[in-house]
Amino acid sequence: MTSPRAPRGMHDTLPEDADLWRFIRDTAERVARLYDYRQIGTPIVEDASVFLHTAGDESDIVQKEVYLFDDRGGDRLALRPEGTAAVCRAYIEHGMSSRPQPVRLFYIGPYFRYDRPQAGRYRQLHQFGVEAIGTDSPEVDAELIDLQLTLYRELGFAPDELTLRINSIGTAETRRRFIEVLTKHFEPHVGTLSRDSQRRFETNILRVLDSKEDAGHPAVQNAPSILDYLSPEDAAHFEAVKRHLEALGIAYEVDPRIVRGLDYYARTVWEVEPPGAGGQSTIGAGGRYDGLIEVLGGPSTPAVGFATGIERIALNMRERGLGPSEERAPDVVTVPLGERGPAAAAQAAATLRAAGLSVRNGVPGRSMRAAMRGADASGARYALIVGDAEADAGTVVLKPLRGDEEQRTVAAIELSSVELSLDDHAEMDIDGDTVQLF
RNA sequence: GUGGGUGUGGCCUAGCGGUUAGGGCGUCAGGUUGUGGCCCUGAAGAUCGGGGGUUCGAAUCCCCUCACCCACCCCA
């Protein structure tokens, strides 16, 4: 009998990963607030229709990746595979169209897709998403891209380490026209395309354009560009987005082959990825989804947003050695000895904790040597030694484990006023701004 | 969903038909009596991912299965 493991494609976050994760979450929330976005939380499960009617019937997400189940009352529910549709559902449900527009929202949490796991692709994944609902202003498209890139920069990515690629896929109407053109274009060449592309020719012809297999195929390279089929309004919108990006000093590449996997996108779409470009390389992507709220039964409402994968960010940060470098260590570790030492040490620890210090209780019953080894290995700056002699005298021995400070004996009741040289911490607090390393 | 690779104590890894399955890191205990970091000694911990086969004999060969990884697909 083998013991149970975490479900396939789902992972534990271990203490050694937690610091990096928290750094990413804290930075994401901080940056979102910098742009005056406010947090929204939605349930992990939704009525299945929230996702099934919005993502597009041909999308893989709907075809095979949604975790679907009936609850005990017979309602059809889905584990959320993405955030945007749920946020829009909440926007409608809570009448947010009567708040000042656009409503600026962000969220962070787990999402679920029944997919074959590989590096950077998991069945339970975590996304940070940002949405601006209620405006079609191209400035807001640029604002979101700016916010997203600011996040990456704050996390430590150099500007040239990430590539922003943008495109406009027009409205549903322009796409319908473009698909006709594309179908005529590829029709004579279908036989020479890869099997995947042949399938996509039937199901989602836009995807033929960014097939990796057929990237060198003449018919793909000579394919018409959707940018030539935009309506004047869409083209003007796209031009405005680009102008605003330039005004913000943001470098971008226009890539007319970008399409999105979810049908609700319209006009601006973008992706951000490291130049290396591996398999699951996109770390964040976004776009405009002007039709989504109407599909969900709300008033016609334009909106833009992006989502970025925490795991993929973490993956890239680890590759680059970015993120908090400090090991998390307690300030003080107690070394309880003898009969009465442990109780007195625990009291001393409580005093220090009340003063805001992180104190680890040493394990009683060990030899002093072992206890000191443990204290040293913890990375703490001080060992607090309390044996029977100290317990009886109401004192405590404070031994610095780093630096050349002398060991001293202090009265237990005066512990809260004893000055400990924890300057390293203080400086780091200032330099790291809100980067809490301890 | 398609194709390929990998799977040895908590972690890294040697072994590639006959070994008590070896080492490093880590953990725990010691190196005399209450003081750590180096060093030394010892201990615990592996049915060699799981199941089935071939063989006198399998971690080593074969089959199935599971998990992970890579590419595709898709996507964050």
Short mmCIF file of all heavy atoms in Angstrom, two decimals, chain A residues 8-9 113 119 121 127 200 207 261 280 283 312 373 376 390 399 401 407, chain B residues 2-3 29 31 34-37 67-68 70-76:
data_model
loop_
_atom_site.label_atom_id
_atom_site.label_comp_id
_atom_site.label_asym_id
_atom_site.label_seq_id
_atom_site.Cartn_x
_atom_site.Cartn_y
_atom_site.Cartn_z
N ARG A 8 -2.47 14.71 -9.07
CA ARG A 8 -1.64 15.01 -10.24
C ARG A 8 -1.76 16.49 -10.63
O ARG A 8 -2.86 17.03 -10.72
CB ARG A 8 -2.10 14.15 -11.40
CG ARG A 8 -1.25 14.33 -12.60
CD ARG A 8 -1.50 13.27 -13.65
NE ARG A 8 -0.40 13.29 -14.59
CZ ARG A 8 -0.45 12.82 -15.82
NH1 ARG A 8 -1.55 12.25 -16.24
NH2 ARG A 8 0.59 12.89 -16.59
N GLY A 9 -0.61 17.08 -10.88
CA GLY A 9 -0.61 18.47 -11.33
C GLY A 9 -0.92 19.49 -10.25
O GLY A 9 -1.09 20.66 -10.54
N ARG A 113 -7.40 23.66 -14.00
CA ARG A 113 -7.61 23.21 -15.38
C ARG A 113 -7.15 21.77 -15.49
O ARG A 113 -6.01 21.45 -15.16
CB ARG A 113 -6.80 24.08 -16.35
CG ARG A 113 -7.34 25.50 -16.39
CD ARG A 113 -6.56 26.37 -17.33
NE ARG A 113 -6.93 27.77 -17.10
CZ ARG A 113 -6.37 28.80 -17.70
NH1 ARG A 113 -5.40 28.60 -18.58
NH2 ARG A 113 -6.76 30.03 -17.44
N ALA A 119 6.23 21.33 -16.98
CA ALA A 119 6.82 22.48 -16.33
C ALA A 119 6.02 23.74 -16.64
O ALA A 119 5.74 24.02 -17.80
CB ALA A 119 8.26 22.65 -16.77
N ARG A 121 2.97 24.30 -16.17
CA ARG A 121 1.55 24.06 -16.44
C ARG A 121 1.03 23.08 -15.41
O ARG A 121 1.50 21.95 -15.31
CB ARG A 121 1.36 23.49 -17.84
CG ARG A 121 -0.10 23.28 -18.18
CD ARG A 121 -0.27 22.10 -19.07
NE ARG A 121 -0.21 22.45 -20.47
CZ ARG A 121 -0.23 21.55 -21.44
NH1 ARG A 121 -0.29 20.26 -21.17
NH2 ARG A 121 -0.16 21.93 -22.69
N GLN A 127 -3.15 32.57 -10.14
CA GLN A 127 -3.05 33.74 -11.01
C GLN A 127 -3.28 35.01 -10.22
O GLN A 127 -4.08 35.06 -9.29
CB GLN A 127 -4.09 33.67 -12.13
CG GLN A 127 -3.80 32.61 -13.17
CD GLN A 127 -4.70 32.74 -14.38
OE1 GLN A 127 -5.71 33.43 -14.35
NE2 GLN A 127 -4.32 32.08 -15.45
N ARG A 200 -7.10 22.66 -36.97
CA ARG A 200 -7.46 24.03 -36.63
C ARG A 200 -8.09 24.76 -37.80
O ARG A 200 -8.89 25.69 -37.61
CB ARG A 200 -6.22 24.78 -36.13
CG ARG A 200 -5.83 24.30 -34.74
CD ARG A 200 -4.74 25.12 -34.14
NE ARG A 200 -3.44 24.82 -34.71
CZ ARG A 200 -2.30 25.03 -34.10
NH1 ARG A 200 -2.29 25.57 -32.90
NH2 ARG A 200 -1.16 24.74 -34.67
N ARG A 207 -5.84 30.09 -35.20
CA ARG A 207 -4.73 29.42 -34.53
C ARG A 207 -3.69 28.85 -35.50
O ARG A 207 -2.56 28.59 -35.09
CB ARG A 207 -5.25 28.30 -33.63
CG ARG A 207 -5.85 28.82 -32.37
CD ARG A 207 -5.13 28.23 -31.16
NE ARG A 207 -5.40 29.03 -29.99
CZ ARG A 207 -4.50 29.80 -29.40
NH1 ARG A 207 -3.28 29.87 -29.85
NH2 ARG A 207 -4.82 30.49 -28.34
N GLY A 261 -6.90 32.35 -26.53
CA GLY A 261 -7.61 31.09 -26.44
C GLY A 261 -9.07 31.24 -26.06
O GLY A 261 -9.86 30.34 -26.23
N GLN A 280 6.16 26.46 -22.00
CA GLN A 280 5.12 27.21 -21.32
C GLN A 280 5.70 28.55 -20.88
O GLN A 280 5.87 28.82 -19.71
CB GLN A 280 4.63 26.45 -20.09
CG GLN A 280 4.28 25.02 -20.39
CD GLN A 280 3.15 24.91 -21.37
OE1 GLN A 280 2.19 25.67 -21.32
NE2 GLN A 280 3.26 23.99 -22.31
N ILE A 283 4.40 34.39 -19.35
CA ILE A 283 4.18 34.54 -17.91
C ILE A 283 2.94 35.36 -17.61
O ILE A 283 2.44 35.31 -16.50
CB ILE A 283 5.41 35.13 -17.19
CG1 ILE A 283 5.70 36.56 -17.62
CG2 ILE A 283 6.62 34.26 -17.41
CD1 ILE A 283 6.81 37.17 -16.81
N ARG A 312 4.57 30.55 -12.99
CA ARG A 312 5.49 30.88 -14.07
C ARG A 312 6.40 32.03 -13.69
O ARG A 312 7.57 32.07 -14.07
CB ARG A 312 4.72 31.20 -15.34
CG ARG A 312 4.08 29.95 -15.89
CD ARG A 312 3.51 30.16 -17.27
NE ARG A 312 2.83 28.94 -17.69
CZ ARG A 312 2.16 28.83 -18.83
NH1 ARG A 312 2.07 29.87 -19.64
NH2 ARG A 312 1.58 27.70 -19.14
N ARG A 373 24.26 23.88 19.09
CA ARG A 373 24.36 23.60 17.65
C ARG A 373 23.07 23.98 16.94
O ARG A 373 23.07 24.57 15.87
CB ARG A 373 24.63 22.11 17.43
CG ARG A 373 26.09 21.75 17.50
CD ARG A 373 26.25 20.26 17.25
NE ARG A 373 27.67 19.91 17.33
CZ ARG A 373 28.14 18.74 17.73
NH1 ARG A 373 27.30 17.79 18.10
NH2 ARG A 373 29.42 18.52 17.77
N ASP A 376 22.73 27.71 16.67
CA ASP A 376 23.60 28.26 15.64
C ASP A 376 23.04 27.97 14.24
O ASP A 376 23.00 28.84 13.38
CB ASP A 376 24.99 27.65 15.77
CG ASP A 376 25.93 28.21 14.73
OD1 ASP A 376 26.20 29.41 14.80
OD2 ASP A 376 26.34 27.46 13.83
N GLU A 390 20.21 30.01 36.46
CA GLU A 390 19.56 31.24 36.00
C GLU A 390 18.12 31.29 36.47
O GLU A 390 17.64 32.33 36.93
CB GLU A 390 19.59 31.34 34.47
CG GLU A 390 20.97 31.62 33.89
CD GLU A 390 21.87 30.40 33.88
OE1 GLU A 390 21.36 29.27 34.03
OE2 GLU A 390 23.09 30.57 33.73
N LYS A 399 23.63 35.15 24.69
CA LYS A 399 24.90 34.94 24.00
C LYS A 399 24.75 35.26 22.52
O LYS A 399 23.99 34.62 21.80
CB LYS A 399 25.35 33.49 24.15
CG LYS A 399 26.67 33.21 23.43
CD LYS A 399 27.04 31.76 23.51
CE LYS A 399 28.26 31.46 22.64
NZ LYS A 399 29.48 32.10 23.16
N LEU A 401 25.45 35.09 18.75
CA LEU A 401 25.97 34.01 17.92
C LEU A 401 26.72 34.54 16.71
O LEU A 401 27.36 33.79 15.98
CB LEU A 401 24.83 33.10 17.46
CG LEU A 401 24.10 32.37 18.60
CD1 LEU A 401 22.86 31.67 18.09
CD2 LEU A 401 25.03 31.38 19.29
N GLN A 407 29.05 37.92 25.69
CA GLN A 407 27.89 37.29 26.33
C GLN A 407 27.58 38.02 27.64
O GLN A 407 28.47 38.45 28.34
CB GLN A 407 28.26 35.83 26.57
CG GLN A 407 27.50 35.13 27.64
CD GLN A 407 27.94 33.67 27.71
OE1 GLN A 407 28.37 33.09 26.72
NE2 GLN A 407 27.82 33.07 28.88
P U B 2 -3.50 9.90 -26.27
OP1 U B 2 -3.86 8.56 -26.77
OP2 U B 2 -2.95 10.07 -24.92
"O5'" U B 2 -2.50 10.58 -27.32
"C5'" U B 2 -2.78 10.53 -28.71
"C4'" U B 2 -1.62 11.09 -29.48
"O4'" U B 2 -1.52 12.51 -29.23
"C3'" U B 2 -0.26 10.55 -29.11
"O3'" U B 2 0.02 9.30 -29.73
"C2'" U B 2 0.67 11.65 -29.59
"O2'" U B 2 0.85 11.59 -31.00
"C1'" U B 2 -0.15 12.90 -29.26
N1 U B 2 0.21 13.43 -27.92
C2 U B 2 1.37 14.18 -27.82
O2 U B 2 2.09 14.41 -28.76
N3 U B 2 1.65 14.64 -26.55
C4 U B 2 0.90 14.43 -25.41
O4 U B 2 1.28 14.92 -24.36
C5 U B 2 -0.28 13.65 -25.59
C6 U B 2 -0.57 13.18 -26.81
P G B 3 1.00 8.24 -28.98
OP1 G B 3 0.97 6.99 -29.76
OP2 G B 3 0.67 8.21 -27.53
"O5'" G B 3 2.42 8.93 -29.15
"C5'" G B 3 3.09 8.90 -30.42
"C4'" G B 3 4.36 9.70 -30.36
"O4'" G B 3 4.05 11.05 -29.95
"C3'" G B 3 5.39 9.24 -29.34
"O3'" G B 3 6.15 8.13 -29.77
"C2'" G B 3 6.24 10.50 -29.19
"O2'" G B 3 7.09 10.68 -30.30
"C1'" G B 3 5.15 11.58 -29.21
N9 G B 3 4.72 11.88 -27.85
C8 G B 3 3.59 11.45 -27.19
N7 G B 3 3.52 11.88 -25.95
C5 G B 3 4.67 12.65 -25.79
C6 G B 3 5.15 13.37 -24.66
O6 G B 3 4.65 13.48 -23.55
N1 G B 3 6.37 13.99 -24.93
C2 G B 3 7.03 13.93 -26.13
N2 G B 3 8.18 14.60 -26.21
N3 G B 3 6.60 13.28 -27.19
C4 G B 3 5.42 12.66 -26.95
P A B 29 19.88 15.22 19.65
OP1 A B 29 19.17 15.66 20.87
OP2 A B 29 20.65 16.20 18.85
"O5'" A B 29 20.87 14.04 20.04
"C5'" A B 29 20.38 12.89 20.69
"C4'" A B 29 21.47 11.89 20.86
"O4'" A B 29 21.87 11.38 19.55
"C3'" A B 29 22.77 12.45 21.43
"O3'" A B 29 22.68 12.59 22.83
"C2'" A B 29 23.77 11.39 20.99
"O2'" A B 29 23.69 10.23 21.78
"C1'" A B 29 23.26 11.09 19.58
N9 A B 29 23.93 11.90 18.55
C8 A B 29 23.48 13.04 17.93
N7 A B 29 24.33 13.52 17.05
C5 A B 29 25.39 12.64 17.09
C6 A B 29 26.61 12.60 16.39
N6 A B 29 26.96 13.49 15.47
N1 A B 29 27.46 11.59 16.67
C2 A B 29 27.11 10.68 17.59
N3 A B 29 25.98 10.62 18.31
C4 A B 29 25.16 11.64 18.01
P G B 31 29.85 13.92 25.19
OP1 G B 31 30.11 13.75 26.63
OP2 G B 31 29.07 15.08 24.70
"O5'" G B 31 31.22 13.87 24.41
"C5'" G B 31 32.03 12.71 24.49
"C4'" G B 31 33.22 12.87 23.60
"O4'" G B 31 32.81 12.77 22.23
"C3'" G B 31 33.92 14.22 23.69
"O3'" G B 31 34.79 14.27 24.79
"C2'" G B 31 34.66 14.26 22.36
"O2'" G B 31 35.83 13.49 22.40
"C1'" G B 31 33.64 13.60 21.42
N9 G B 31 32.80 14.57 20.72
C8 G B 31 31.53 14.97 21.03
N7 G B 31 31.05 15.86 20.20
C5 G B 31 32.08 16.06 19.29
C6 G B 31 32.16 16.92 18.18
O6 G B 31 31.30 17.70 17.74
N1 G B 31 33.38 16.82 17.53
C2 G B 31 34.41 15.99 17.92
N2 G B 31 35.51 16.03 17.19
N3 G B 31 34.35 15.19 18.96
C4 G B 31 33.17 15.28 19.60
P G B 34 27.49 20.27 32.67
OP1 G B 34 27.94 21.36 33.60
OP2 G B 34 26.08 19.95 32.49
"O5'" G B 34 27.89 20.41 31.18
"C5'" G B 34 28.65 21.32 30.56
"C4'" G B 34 27.96 22.65 30.26
"O4'" G B 34 26.91 22.90 31.19
"C3'" G B 34 28.91 23.82 30.39
"O3'" G B 34 29.25 24.26 29.11
"C2'" G B 34 28.11 24.91 31.10
"O2'" G B 34 27.89 26.03 30.22
"C1'" G B 34 26.75 24.29 31.28
N9 G B 34 26.03 24.67 32.49
C8 G B 34 25.91 24.00 33.67
N7 G B 34 25.13 24.62 34.53
C5 G B 34 24.74 25.77 33.87
C6 G B 34 23.90 26.84 34.29
O6 G B 34 23.31 26.96 35.35
N1 G B 34 23.77 27.80 33.32
C2 G B 34 24.37 27.76 32.08
N2 G B 34 24.14 28.78 31.26
N3 G B 34 25.14 26.77 31.65
C4 G B 34 25.28 25.82 32.61
P U B 35 30.59 23.87 28.32
OP1 U B 35 30.68 22.40 28.18
OP2 U B 35 31.67 24.60 29.01
"O5'" U B 35 30.43 24.51 26.88
"C5'" U B 35 29.51 23.96 25.92
"C4'" U B 35 29.06 25.10 25.04
"O4'" U B 35 28.27 25.98 25.85
"C3'" U B 35 30.25 25.91 24.51
"O3'" U B 35 30.31 25.80 23.11
"C2'" U B 35 29.95 27.35 24.89
"O2'" U B 35 29.85 28.19 23.75
"C1'" U B 35 28.56 27.30 25.51
N1 U B 35 28.39 28.14 26.70
C2 U B 35 28.00 29.45 26.51
O2 U B 35 27.83 29.91 25.39
N3 U B 35 27.80 30.17 27.65
C4 U B 35 27.95 29.74 28.92
O4 U B 35 27.71 30.51 29.84
C5 U B 35 28.36 28.37 29.06
C6 U B 35 28.58 27.63 27.97
P G B 36 30.92 24.73 22.24
OP1 G B 36 30.63 23.43 22.82
OP2 G B 36 32.31 25.11 21.97
"O5'" G B 36 30.10 24.90 20.90
"C5'" G B 36 28.92 24.13 20.70
"C4'" G B 36 28.14 24.73 19.57
"O4'" G B 36 27.67 26.04 19.95
"C3'" G B 36 28.96 24.99 18.31
"O3'" G B 36 28.98 23.82 17.51
"C2'" G B 36 28.18 26.10 17.64
"O2'" G B 36 27.05 25.59 16.95
"C1'" G B 36 27.69 26.91 18.83
N9 G B 36 28.53 28.06 19.15
C8 G B 36 29.48 28.13 20.13
N7 G B 36 30.04 29.32 20.22
C5 G B 36 29.41 30.06 19.23
C6 G B 36 29.60 31.41 18.84
O6 G B 36 30.37 32.25 19.33
N1 G B 36 28.77 31.77 17.79
C2 G B 36 27.89 30.92 17.18
N2 G B 36 27.18 31.43 16.18
N3 G B 36 27.69 29.65 17.52
C4 G B 36 28.48 29.30 18.55
P G B 37 30.30 23.39 16.69
OP1 G B 37 30.15 21.98 16.31
OP2 G B 37 31.46 23.86 17.45
"O5'" G B 37 30.24 24.26 15.35
"C5'" G B 37 29.17 24.09 14.39
"C4'" G B 37 29.19 25.30 13.48
"O4'" G B 37 29.17 26.45 14.35
"C3'" G B 37 30.44 25.41 12.63
"O3'" G B 37 30.14 25.19 11.27
"C2'" G B 37 30.94 26.83 12.80
"O2'" G B 37 30.75 27.59 11.61
"C1'" G B 37 30.04 27.43 13.87
N9 G B 37 30.79 27.98 14.99
C8 G B 37 31.45 27.32 15.98
N7 G B 37 32.02 28.13 16.84
C5 G B 37 31.71 29.40 16.38
C6 G B 37 32.06 30.67 16.89
O6 G B 37 32.71 30.94 17.87
N1 G B 37 31.54 31.69 16.10
C2 G B 37 30.78 31.49 14.96
N2 G B 37 30.36 32.58 14.32
N3 G B 37 30.44 30.31 14.47
C4 G B 37 30.94 29.32 15.24
P A B 67 -0.83 9.45 -12.51
OP1 A B 67 -1.90 10.29 -11.95
OP2 A B 67 -0.72 9.26 -13.98
"O5'" A B 67 0.57 10.00 -11.98
"C5'" A B 67 0.74 10.34 -10.61
"C4'" A B 67 2.18 10.66 -10.35
"O4'" A B 67 3.01 9.51 -10.63
"C3'" A B 67 2.78 11.76 -11.22
"O3'" A B 67 2.46 13.05 -10.74
"C2'" A B 67 4.27 11.46 -11.10
"O2'" A B 67 4.78 11.88 -9.86
"C1'" A B 67 4.27 9.93 -11.14
N9 A B 67 4.43 9.39 -12.49
C8 A B 67 3.45 8.96 -13.35
N7 A B 67 3.93 8.53 -14.50
C5 A B 67 5.31 8.69 -14.38
C6 A B 67 6.37 8.42 -15.27
N6 A B 67 6.21 7.91 -16.47
N1 A B 67 7.62 8.71 -14.84
C2 A B 67 7.78 9.23 -13.62
N3 A B 67 6.85 9.53 -12.70
C4 A B 67 5.62 9.23 -13.15
P C B 68 2.41 14.28 -11.78
OP1 C B 68 1.83 15.41 -11.04
OP2 C B 68 1.79 13.83 -13.05
"O5'" C B 68 3.95 14.57 -12.06
"C5'" C B 68 4.79 15.06 -11.04
"C4'" C B 68 6.22 14.96 -11.47
"O4'" C B 68 6.53 13.58 -11.80
"C3'" C B 68 6.60 15.72 -12.73
"O3'" C B 68 6.86 17.09 -12.47
"C2'" C B 68 7.86 14.98 -13.16
"O2'" C B 68 8.97 15.35 -12.37
"C1'" C B 68 7.48 13.53 -12.85
N1 C B 68 6.88 12.85 -14.01
C2 C B 68 7.73 12.34 -15.00
O2 C B 68 8.95 12.49 -14.87
N3 C B 68 7.21 11.70 -16.08
C4 C B 68 5.88 11.57 -16.18
N4 C B 68 5.41 10.93 -17.24
C5 C B 68 4.99 12.08 -15.19
C6 C B 68 5.53 12.72 -14.13
P C B 70 9.60 20.50 -17.94
OP1 C B 70 10.27 21.81 -17.77
OP2 C B 70 8.14 20.38 -17.82
"O5'" C B 70 10.01 19.91 -19.37
"C5'" C B 70 11.36 19.96 -19.81
"C4'" C B 70 11.47 19.36 -21.19
"O4'" C B 70 11.16 17.94 -21.14
"C3'" C B 70 10.49 19.88 -22.23
"O3'" C B 70 10.87 21.13 -22.75
"C2'" C B 70 10.55 18.77 -23.27
"O2'" C B 70 11.72 18.83 -24.04
"C1'" C B 70 10.60 17.54 -22.37
N1 C B 70 9.26 16.98 -22.12
C2 C B 70 8.69 16.16 -23.11
O2 C B 70 9.35 15.94 -24.14
N3 C B 70 7.45 15.64 -22.91
C4 C B 70 6.79 15.90 -21.80
N4 C B 70 5.59 15.37 -21.66
C5 C B 70 7.34 16.75 -20.78
C6 C B 70 8.56 17.26 -20.98
P A B 71 9.74 22.10 -23.31
OP1 A B 71 10.39 23.38 -23.59
OP2 A B 71 8.57 22.04 -22.41
"O5'" A B 71 9.31 21.42 -24.68
"C5'" A B 71 10.21 21.41 -25.78
"C4'" A B 71 9.61 20.61 -26.92
"O4'" A B 71 9.43 19.23 -26.50
"C3'" A B 71 8.22 21.02 -27.36
"O3'" A B 71 8.22 22.17 -28.18
"C2'" A B 71 7.77 19.77 -28.10
"O2'" A B 71 8.42 19.67 -29.35
"C1'" A B 71 8.30 18.69 -27.17
N9 A B 71 7.29 18.34 -26.17
C8 A B 71 7.18 18.76 -24.86
N7 A B 71 6.13 18.27 -24.23
C5 A B 71 5.51 17.49 -25.19
C6 A B 71 4.35 16.70 -25.16
N6 A B 71 3.57 16.58 -24.07
N1 A B 71 3.99 16.05 -26.29
C2 A B 71 4.76 16.18 -27.37
N3 A B 71 5.88 16.89 -27.53
C4 A B 71 6.20 17.52 -26.39
P C B 72 6.96 23.13 -28.13
OP1 C B 72 7.27 24.27 -29.01
OP2 C B 72 6.59 23.35 -26.71
"O5'" C B 72 5.81 22.25 -28.79
"C5'" C B 72 5.88 21.88 -30.16
"C4'" C B 72 4.78 20.91 -30.50
"O4'" C B 72 4.81 19.79 -29.57
"C3'" C B 72 3.35 21.42 -30.35
"O3'" C B 72 2.97 22.24 -31.44
"C2'" C B 72 2.58 20.11 -30.32
"O2'" C B 72 2.46 19.55 -31.61
"C1'" C B 72 3.50 19.24 -29.48
N1 C B 72 3.07 19.24 -28.07
C2 C B 72 1.94 18.47 -27.74
O2 C B 72 1.37 17.84 -28.65
N3 C B 72 1.50 18.46 -26.46
C4 C B 72 2.14 19.16 -25.53
N4 C B 72 1.66 19.11 -24.30
C5 C B 72 3.28 19.95 -25.84
C6 C B 72 3.71 19.95 -27.11
P C B 73 2.07 23.50 -31.14
OP1 C B 73 1.77 24.11 -32.44
OP2 C B 73 2.69 24.30 -30.08
"O5'" C B 73 0.73 22.86 -30.55
"C5'" C B 73 -0.18 22.17 -31.39
"C4'" C B 73 -1.30 21.58 -30.55
"O4'" C B 73 -0.72 20.70 -29.56
"C3'" C B 73 -2.09 22.58 -29.72
"O3'" C B 73 -3.09 23.23 -30.48
"C2'" C B 73 -2.67 21.68 -28.64
"O2'" C B 73 -3.76 20.94 -29.14
"C1'" C B 73 -1.49 20.75 -28.37
N1 C B 73 -0.64 21.28 -27.28
C2 C B 73 -1.06 21.05 -25.96
O2 C B 73 -2.10 20.42 -25.77
N3 C B 73 -0.30 21.54 -24.94
C4 C B 73 0.82 22.22 -25.21
N4 C B 73 1.52 22.68 -24.18
C5 C B 73 1.25 22.47 -26.54
C6 C B 73 0.50 21.99 -27.53
P C B 74 -3.20 24.79 -30.40
OP1 C B 74 -4.33 25.16 -31.26
OP2 C B 74 -1.88 25.40 -30.64
"O5'" C B 74 -3.60 25.07 -28.88
"C5'" C B 74 -4.88 24.74 -28.39
"C4'" C B 74 -4.88 24.74 -26.89
"O4'" C B 74 -3.77 23.97 -26.40
"C3'" C B 74 -4.71 26.09 -26.22
"O3'" C B 74 -5.92 26.83 -26.18
"C2'" C B 74 -4.27 25.66 -24.83
"O2'" C B 74 -5.36 25.19 -24.09
"C1'" C B 74 -3.34 24.50 -25.16
N1 C B 74 -1.93 24.93 -25.26
C2 C B 74 -1.21 25.07 -24.07
O2 C B 74 -1.79 24.82 -23.00
N3 C B 74 0.07 25.48 -24.12
C4 C B 74 0.64 25.75 -25.30
N4 C B 74 1.90 26.15 -25.30
C5 C B 74 -0.09 25.62 -26.53
C6 C B 74 -1.36 25.22 -26.47
P C B 75 -5.88 28.39 -26.02
OP1 C B 75 -7.27 28.83 -25.84
OP2 C B 75 -5.08 28.96 -27.12
"O5'" C B 75 -5.08 28.60 -24.67
"C5'" C B 75 -5.74 29.02 -23.49
"C4'" C B 75 -4.85 28.84 -22.30
"O4'" C B 75 -3.77 27.93 -22.63
"C3'" C B 75 -4.14 30.09 -21.82
"O3'" C B 75 -4.98 30.83 -20.95
"C2'" C B 75 -2.96 29.49 -21.07
"O2'" C B 75 -3.34 29.02 -19.81
"C1'" C B 75 -2.59 28.31 -21.95
N1 C B 75 -1.54 28.61 -22.94
C2 C B 75 -0.24 28.80 -22.47
O2 C B 75 -0.02 28.70 -21.26
N3 C B 75 0.74 29.07 -23.36
C4 C B 75 0.45 29.16 -24.66
N4 C B 75 1.45 29.43 -25.49
C5 C B 75 -0.88 29.00 -25.15
C6 C B 75 -1.83 28.73 -24.27
P A B 76 -4.73 32.41 -20.81
OP1 A B 76 -5.97 33.03 -20.34
OP2 A B 76 -4.11 32.90 -22.04
"O5'" A B 76 -3.65 32.47 -19.65
"C5'" A B 76 -3.41 33.69 -19.00
"C4'" A B 76 -2.09 33.59 -18.29
"O4'" A B 76 -2.19 32.66 -17.20
"C3'" A B 76 -0.99 33.04 -19.17
"O3'" A B 76 -0.36 34.08 -19.89
"C2'" A B 76 -0.06 32.36 -18.18
"O2'" A B 76 0.84 33.27 -17.64
"C1'" A B 76 -1.01 31.90 -17.09
N9 A B 76 -1.37 30.48 -17.21
C8 A B 76 -2.32 29.92 -18.00
N7 A B 76 -2.42 28.62 -17.87
C5 A B 76 -1.47 28.32 -16.91
C6 A B 76 -1.07 27.11 -16.33
N6 A B 76 -1.63 25.94 -16.62
N1 A B 76 -0.08 27.15 -15.41
C2 A B 76 0.47 28.32 -15.12
N3 A B 76 0.18 29.53 -15.61
C4 A B 76 -0.81 29.46 -16.50
#
